[in-house]
Amino acid sequence: MEKKIAVIRGDHSSREFVRETLRVMDRIAEKYGHTFRYVDVAMGGDAIDRFGEPLPAAELQKCKECDSVLLGSVGGPEWDSLPGDKRPEKGLLALRAGMGLYSNVRPATIWPQLAPASPLRADIAANGIDFVIVRELTGGVYFGEHKTENNGTEEVAQDNMIYSAHEIERIGRIGFETARRRRKKLTSVDKANVLDTSRLWRKIMHQLKEEYPDVEYEDMLVDNCAMQIVKNPAQFDVIVTENMFGDILSDEASMITGSIGMIPSSSLGDTSNGVYEPIHGSAPDIAGKNIVNPMACILSAAMMFRYSFDMPEEADAIEKAVGAVLDKGYRTADNQSEGCTVLGTIEITDKILEEI
């Protein structure tokens, strides 16, 4: 099989872990007889420095013309003083909107080998952490109108949070379908006691649940969900929620697994051309030191093989290799523990390649 893959190498440490991920993808191509052609795309700080904007139209078009996108992390302190519409993170929003990516799927799974690194009490972590957050990506307050005005007395800022019924329905269906493929339990998270958008959200979700009688369904307010994720994460299977709530909850969920450096994610729309990325940032403080953990990005490539390319065997090979390396006591600096051997970015990837 031949695939054309857009590669956004990102900023700072991102360039290191994307490089290592491409090594793993090349090994998979060699083992299974595939051909992967990589198309470099500039986005984030890299694009700002080269083109003056976080995602030029020509770079976005490259992504659209590929079969999938591997995305490194963007951003860094040198771009923090730029206007909001020129910051690296705006490239992410433009990429999602431009490619029609309205669904972000982020697993929160604790690797048994890393359970001691979880900040949760041992008895809570021992119950297991294995759930998925399905986050709506192109609506809500992030995509509403933003303005700051002076009313004659002081500055007043305004951010509009808008959702339409069809936006809620399509992400709701992905939530139900994801739950149907897992343990058949869906938790819909909103703030229906306060927000009109959440009341519409809950109305649409209640209509949808009639179509999925095999899926156990519950509503949960976002503040309660935030508490329950740290109190009893084992209760969750699939959480579906709107953009800002999903942004916050998925970061919280990633930390209870023990290392943000182990969590991949996928963003999809109505086609198989998705964006796959680690959830962590560009880590400018450790750039160039061969320290950053490449495994979240490598596991994101596994998600690409599984969801965009229908290559489950190849995805399994990567995930099993990561598990085997952890079983043998190899760690990166962010998840080291007593009795384990800490390896650098390149060296831990070497071990994963050996397992594949």
Side-chain angles (χ1 to χ4, degrees):
M1 190 175 291
E2 183 172 328
K3 295 292 183 182
K4 185 165 69 169
I5 301 166
V7 178
I8 300 172
R9 298 179 185 267
D11 303 317
H12 295 298
S13 293
S14 174
R15 308 188 77 81
E16 297 172 64
F17 60 70
V18 168
R19 178 196 65 212
E20 299 308 303
T21 300
L22 295 179
R23 291 176 64 205
V24 172
M25 293 171 67
D26 286 341
R27 177 62 58 86
I28 290 292
E30 177 186 2
K31 179 174 181 176
Y32 291 94
H34 303 308
T35 299
F36 298 145
R37 293 192 294 120
Y38 304 124
V39 177
D40 276 306
V41 174
M43 195 187 89
D46 174 41
I48 292 169
D49 290 347
R50 292 166 59 185
F51 304 111
E53 55 183 306
L55 182 62
E59 301 300 293
L60 173 60
Q61 186 61 33
K62 290 180 186 178
C63 294
K64 291 181 177 181
E65 293 172 354
C66 288
D67 296 302
S68 198
V69 180
L70 180 70
L71 171 61
S73 307
V74 299
E78 60 266 60
W79 303 289
D80 284 349
S81 61
L82 293 175
D85 62 340
K86 296 295 184 182
R87 290 169 61 97
E89 295 77 11
K90 275 294 182 180
L92 289 172
L93 299 182
L95 181 67
R96 292 165 183 167
M99 293 184 65
L101 307 175
Y102 58 82
S103 168
N104 177 255
V105 177
R106 183 182 292 188
T109 304
I110 191 164
W111 291 79
Q113 306 93 328
L114 301 180
S118 172
L120 298 182
R121 288 201 325 257
D123 60 315
I124 296 175
N127 287 332
I129 301 170
D130 180 17
F131 62 94
V132 170
I133 295 180
V134 177
R135 167 191 169 192
E136 202 285 326
L137 271 186
T138 58
V141 71
Y142 292 171
F143 285 86
E145 181 185 5
H146 309 282
K147 61 181 180 180
T148 302
E149 299 175 323
N150 194 306
N151 65 5
T153 304
E154 61 183 349
E155 284 190 309
V156 178
Q158 177 177 302
D159 301 286
N160 288 343
M161 185 175 190
I162 301 172
Y163 267 107
S164 61
H166 84 274
E167 290 175 311
I168 299 168
E169 180 180 357
R170 67 185 182 183
I171 194 68
R173 287 193 184 280
I174 290 177
F176 276 107
E177 293 291 343
T178 303
R180 183 173 269 177
R181 291 193 297 268
R182 288 174 49 90
R183 300 192 303 275
K184 295 182 169 59
K185 181 180 180 182
L186 180 66
T187 303
S188 176
V189 173
D190 58 41
K191 191 64 176 171
N193 58 338
V194 176
L195 301 176
D196 270 17
T197 49
S198 284
R199 285 189 275 272
L200 178 60
W201 180 283
R202 188 169 291 200
K203 176 183 176 181
I204 300 300
M205 293 300 296
H206 283 197
Q207 292 171 355
L208 282 175
K209 75 176 182 178
E210 301 303 319
E211 301 179 30
Y212 296 88
D214 56 322
V215 175
E216 179 186 350
Y217 175 88
E218 67 174 342
D219 297 304
M220 188 175 289
L221 295 176
V222 63
D223 41 357
N224 184 33
C225 184
M227 291 187 290
Q228 294 298 327
I229 283 174
V230 295
K231 180 182 178 182
N232 180 23
Q235 69 183 282
F236 295 112
D237 179 22
V238 178
I239 294 171
V240 63
T241 191
E242 65 87 44
N243 203 345
M244 182 172 65
F245 297 161
D247 189 6
I248 296 167
L249 293 177
S250 57
D251 279 354
E252 178 192 21
S254 70
M255 287 310 300
I256 67 171
T257 64
S259 174
I260 198 170
M262 298 296 297
I263 308 297
S265 74
S266 66
S267 299
L268 292 163
D270 292 326
T271 71
S272 62
N273 185 357
V275 171
Y276 296 85
E277 59 181 312
I279 70 165
H280 56 72
S282 61
D285 57 321
I286 58 172
K289 298 180 179 180
N290 193 40
I291 292 175
V292 67
N293 185 347
M295 286 187 275
C297 194
I298 290 169
L299 291 168
S300 296
M303 292 185 76
M304 179 192 297
F305 293 149
R306 190 180 307 281
Y307 294 121
S308 282
F309 297 164
D310 193 24
M311 298 178 180
E313 186 177 352
E314 291 86 335
D316 287 344
I318 293 175
E319 291 165 356
K320 289 177 181 177
V322 170
V325 167
L326 295 176
D327 282 340
K328 292 180 179 179
Y330 296 114
R331 301 287 188 271
T332 46
D334 59 305
N335 57 27
Q336 60 182 297
S337 57
E338 186 176 353
C340 292
T341 302
V342 177
L343 299 178
T345 309
I346 296 171
E347 291 73 24
I348 199 83
T349 307
D350 288 340
K351 296 296 182 182
I352 293 170
L353 293 172
E354 289 173 11
E355 295 296 336
I356 294 174

